[in-house]
């Protein structure tokens, strides 16, 4: 099977090298984010009249069908296609025909991978923030029940002053709050949309990156394609 980057080589790559370089074994978990990003990108292409609305509707219908295949466990992976992006693109072309290839207009796997990872991390960071908050609330409830419970405090691995158990639990809450703030700060840095950077230096197509960012709920777009 011809690779998208195979033009630099005269012979086919060794099977062992293909197995080593493939990422489909782990990046398949990005399927929902890849499809979400592709739908938004397709909507933007239609808005900017780079593709027709009829083509956009057909492509999006195919992507939604692929999403159902993933969720029902019926999607068939092809290890030779290396990653989740190529697997989805190949399946899309089989479903809707050559028009499926137009989805790749004005983007590359480079900015597509970056987008998928950011969508994934944004959701996971949100889950972590929720988890930390819930744990802190649980400790607070426990602390309220032990306002008068006295326990030994420790310093340098030795018993020191007596302290209230509530005091000790509240100390952990302060630590958790700092962890949550760090994660919230990371979330802000994650929430920047890279799509439109294309392979390296952007694209010559008249795209609307801010529109795509709005569809995907990004607060900002990246300002340098490299």
């Amino acid at each position: 099977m011809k690779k998208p980057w195979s033009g630099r080589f005269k012979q086919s790559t060794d099977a062992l090298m293909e197995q080593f370089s493939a990422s489909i074994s782990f990046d398949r978990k990005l399927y929902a984010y890849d499809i979400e990003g592709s739908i938004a990108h397709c909507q933007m292409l239609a808005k900017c009249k780079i593709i027709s609305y009829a083509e956009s509707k057909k492509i999006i219908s195919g992507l939604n069908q692929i999403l159902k295949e993933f969720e029902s466990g019926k999607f068939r992976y092809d290890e030779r296609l290396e990653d989740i992006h190529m697997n989805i693109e190949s399946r899309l072309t089989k479903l809707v025909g050559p028009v499926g290839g137009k989805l790749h207009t004005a983007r590359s796997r480079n900015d597509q991978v970056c987008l998928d990872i950011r969508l994934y991390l944004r959701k996971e960071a949100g889950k972590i923030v929720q988890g930390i908050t819930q744990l802190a609330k649980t400790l607070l409830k426990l602390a309220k029940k032990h306002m008068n419970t006295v326990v030994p405090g420790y310093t340098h691995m030795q018993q020191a002053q007596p302290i209230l158990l509530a005091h000790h639990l509240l100390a952990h809450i302060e630590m958790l709050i700092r962890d949550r703030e760090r994660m919230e700060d990371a979330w802000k840095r994650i929430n920047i949309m890279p799509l439109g950077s294309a392979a390296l230096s952007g694209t010559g197509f008249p795209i609307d990156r801010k529109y795509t960012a709005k569809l995907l709920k990004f607060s900002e777009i990246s300002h340098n394609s490299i």
Side-chain angles (χ1 to χ4, degrees), residues 81-134:
L81 291 174
E82 297 183 349
D83 59 29
I84 190 63
H85 326 289
M86 294 298 295
N87 268 268
I88 290 174
E89 188 173 317
S90 175
R91 177 60 178 150
L92 178 65
T93 304
K94 289 178 181 177
L95 285 174
V96 304
V99 70
K102 291 190 175 184
L103 178 61
H104 207 58
T105 305
R107 74 175 183 183
S108 81
R109 283 201 294 174
N110 293 2
D111 57 350
Q112 190 179 354
V113 170
C114 290
L115 175 71
D116 291 0
I117 291 174
R118 283 177 182 268
L119 287 170
Y120 168 78
L121 290 176
R122 188 175 67 178
K123 185 172 183 178
E124 292 302 308
K127 289 180 181 178
I128 292 171
V129 168
Q130 290 177 357
I132 291 173
T133 302
Q134 186 58 49

Side-chain angles (χ1 to χ4, degrees), residues 91-211:
R91 177 60 178 150
L92 178 65
T93 304
K94 289 178 181 177
L95 285 174
V96 304
V99 70
K102 291 190 175 184
L103 178 61
H104 207 58
T105 305
R107 74 175 183 183
S108 81
R109 283 201 294 174
N110 293 2
D111 57 350
Q112 190 179 354
V113 170
C114 290
L115 175 71
D116 291 0
I117 291 174
R118 283 177 182 268
L119 287 170
Y120 168 78
L121 290 176
R122 188 175 67 178
K123 185 172 183 178
E124 292 302 308
K127 289 180 181 178
I128 292 171
V129 168
Q130 290 177 357
I132 291 173
T133 302
Q134 186 58 49
L135 177 57
K137 287 181 178 180
T138 301
L139 289 178
L140 181 59
K141 288 181 181 179
L142 190 60
K144 288 180 178 179
K145 292 181 180 179
H146 292 279
M147 297 290 289
N148 298 309
T149 303
V150 179
V151 296
Y154 281 78
T155 178
H156 298 89
M157 303 297 292
Q158 297 182 45
Q159 289 186 2
Q161 295 166 287
I163 60 172
L164 295 176
L165 178 56
H167 191 178
H168 180 75
L169 293 172
L170 291 174
H172 285 284
I173 291 175
E174 290 210 23
M175 298 176 204
L176 288 171
I177 289 172
R178 290 196 294 271
D179 289 336
R180 186 179 66 184
E181 288 172 348
R182 293 185 185 102
M183 189 55 63
E184 288 171 339
D185 186 57
W187 190 93
K188 293 176 184 177
R189 299 172 193 276
I190 292 166
N191 199 34
I192 298 173
M193 192 197 75
L195 203 63
S197 300
L200 175 69
S201 56
T203 175
F205 286 95
I207 61 174
D208 187 343
R209 298 185 66 210
K210 290 184 178 180
Y211 177 73

